[in-house]
Amino acid sequence: MPTSTLCKAKVADRIGRRLPTILLITLLLGIPAWGRAQANPLNRKISVKVRQKPLNYALDEIAHRGRFNFSYNADLFPTDSVVSLQAQREPVREVLKDIFGTRMVYRSIGNHVVIRSRMEVPAPARPPEAYRLEGFLIDGETGTEIALATVFENYKRTSVLTDERGHYALEIDGATRYVALSFSKRGYRDTVIVVRPERQRALSVGLQPVPGWDQPVASRPVSLVGDRADDIDDLPLVEFLVPASQRKRAFNVQEALRDFPVQVSLVPALGTNKLISGAMNNHFSLNILGGYAHGVRGAEIGGLFNLDRDQVIGFQAGGLFNIVGGEVTGFQAGGLFNRNRSSVNGFQAGGLFNDVAGSITGFQAAGLYNVVRDSVYGVQAGGLFNRTQGHITGLQIGGLYNVAQQGIRGGQLAGIYNHSRGDVQAMQVGGIMNSARHVGLFQVSGVSNLARGSVQGFQVAGLVNIAHKEVSGFQIGGLFNRAQKVDGVQIGLVNVADSVGGVQIGLINLNRDGYLSLEASSNEVMTANLAFKAGHRRFYSVLTAGYRFTAGSTAWSYGGGFGTLVDLGRVTLGFEALCQQINEEGLGPDRLNLVIPGRLSVGLKLGRLLEVYGAASVNLQVTTGQAPGSGEFPSEVALNPFWTRETASTQFNSWVGYQGGLRINLRGMQGIGPKAAVEHE
């Protein structure tokens, strides 16, 4: 390879390896210049159209379009002279030149544009090192002194509070020809005055009160209500970390004084924005231990903590915690916790907990718990629990329990307990218990479910399900199910409903418009039987017990089963399948001795309450022997079997039997008595 080609390849290789470093250095060098360009109001491009309007109107319109304020001496030019102008995306500097030509010069100080005449005497060649500017702040209407007001000088970011006499004193850099002073006090209009320190060393200012500020909060004008920027200042932790004088300086300022590209602080009282930091917005903020600012429009990193009185837009991370008074839009992470006095839009993660006074839109996660005083739109996950005073649109996941006061448009998942005072439009899954008003899909828990309204789906619990209104689906409870109306199935040991549009499957099935009876009967096995039947005529449960008392042979039985009944007016037809354990003398209850009858009955109603019936049955007996392998089966139940089969330890018998008895319709008793008579009348 030629030498020149080899050299070029080496140079290209070195540039390629160092290209990321070069780009990073270029970007960092460009940030301050970009920030200065954005901060200079004279460079902002505006579109404005004014036709035959006074000059002061035109200047107000330019300031409004460029989002800055003018400062000028009204004696320099006639403000009531009529002007016309039209500009489309032109710098403010060019628009002013169209009005004044070359008669005036312009200078930006912070967010203010100072207009002055070219004829003014230039500043001294050798200014002093510093000027002392002082004066008094008074109420513009009453003339009384204003104590603890904030006086701020923009260039050096120097600020002071007025004393109890309203007096202030500021040291101004001697090289400064013009200085913009901001005077702020909560309840008064912010005032900005531009002065020349070499000519004016004393300046007293009258501040105008804001109308309605002295009224109670509920009756203040809308423009004075809802300012959350100072809310964090009353928190004990903020009071401990931020000096009172620094908090008072920020409290007086109604809006952020200006945006800074970069801010660095060691602690709240020691940083590049000095004691006025609580009134400043930052694009990038590095708080080595902790910082205190008005807000962030970019990124903020705190070694221990970040304190922001207003909005955070972008990225915020605190080694221990973050406290924000306004909305957070973007990403927020605190090693221990995050506390927000407004809403969060984006992602929030707290090592221990998150406390949000507004709503969450996005994702919220905490090692222990989350508390939201408004609503959640997204996912809320807490290691122990979540509590939301509004509603959930999405999913709540808690290791122990979840609470959503106003309802859920989604679901709740908890290891122990889920609760909602409102509706759950999807699901609740709890290890022990779920509670809601209406359930749109299902409730599943290890112990119990409660729906104070209806369930449009199903409830499944290890023990108990309760729905105060309708269940459109099914209830499955290991012990007990209760619903006002069931359009489906209830499966449990005890099922209770006011009305059933489907079936109830359990030992005891009760419903107000269903079937309920008590029977006394006799059959070929037991001399006397008593049976309790409950459910619906098309499907009901049976609990039965019997006793046989014949000479030399006694026995007792218990069992249950299911049946169905067809009402033909005066006549009823029924079919039942039962299973009974027969405990005979000499054959204790530890021996298996089952009789399984399938019984077909015909009944005749004797009135509203009574019914006599007769039944034929086919019976199957399953009984174990006296001892395994003995071949001895001492049961005397099957006297005339038509089929018998034996194994080494079990005997099977089958025979045709009968039953007759008297049936009492317990549901008919609801129409008997003084109360029923009054209702009938």
Side-chain angles (χ1 to χ4, degrees), residues 306-484:
N306 300 301
L307 308 175
D308 292 277
R309 300 174 62 245
D310 200 6
Q311 292 183 339
V312 171
I313 300 175
F315 176 90
Q316 184 184 55
L320 295 182
F321 59 86
N322 301 298
I323 298 178
V324 179
E327 289 188 357
V328 173
T329 302
F331 179 92
Q332 184 183 50
L336 295 182
F337 67 87
N338 298 298
R339 184 164 187 178
N340 302 76
R341 287 291 182 93
S342 188
S343 299
V344 175
N345 303 304
F347 180 88
Q348 184 183 54
L352 296 182
F353 68 88
N354 297 304
D355 186 340
V356 178
S359 61
I360 291 287
T361 302
F363 186 88
Q364 184 184 49
L368 295 182
Y369 67 87
N370 296 299
V371 174
V372 176
R373 289 167 176 78
D374 201 338
S375 299
V376 174
Y377 304 91
V379 177
Q380 188 181 48
L384 295 182
F385 70 89
N386 300 296
R387 183 178 182 87
T388 302
Q389 294 183 0
H391 61 263
I392 297 285
T393 301
L395 187 64
Q396 228 181 8
I397 305 172
L400 296 182
Y401 71 89
N402 296 306
V403 175
Q405 296 286 15
Q406 295 184 14
I408 300 174
R409 301 184 184 99
Q412 284 181 315
L413 302 174
I416 293 179
Y417 173 62
N418 292 305
H419 171 72
S420 174
R421 290 186 179 179
D423 300 344
V424 175
Q425 296 185 8
M427 65 175 183
Q428 280 185 318
V429 179
I432 292 181
M433 182 179 179
N434 297 305
S435 173
R437 186 168 62 181
H438 300 291
V439 178
L441 189 57
F442 64 83
Q443 284 181 317
V444 177
S445 75
V447 176
S448 66
N449 294 307
L450 171 63
R452 295 180 298 279
S454 60
V455 177
Q456 305 295 321
F458 61 88
Q459 288 179 313
V460 178
L463 293 180
V464 177
N465 293 304
I466 296 176
H468 290 175
K469 294 186 178 180
E470 180 180 359
V471 175
S472 299
F474 60 86
Q475 284 181 315
I476 300 177
L479 180 64
F480 178 78
N481 295 305
R482 172 74 172 94
Q484 185 183 64

Side-chain angles (χ1 to χ4, degrees), residues 99-110:
I99 298 176
F100 296 108
T102 60
R103 294 181 296 122
M104 301 293 172
V105 293
Y106 320 105
R107 182 181 179 183
S108 66
I109 302 178

Side-chain angles (χ1 to χ4, degrees), residues 40-60:
N40 190 346
L42 290 169
N43 294 334
R44 297 174 188 171
K45 294 183 179 182
I46 63 171
S47 297
V48 63
K49 182 178 181 180
V50 175
R51 177 171 295 178
Q52 295 296 309
K53 296 290 185 179
L55 177 57
N56 58 355
Y57 174 86
L59 293 177
D60 288 343

Side-chain angles (χ1 to χ4, degrees), residues 620-642:
L620 173 66
Q621 181 190 25
V622 181
T623 182
T624 56
Q626 186 70 29
S630 66
E632 298 180 4
F633 302 97
S635 174
E636 299 179 359
V637 171
L639 298 179
N640 299 297
F642 63 80

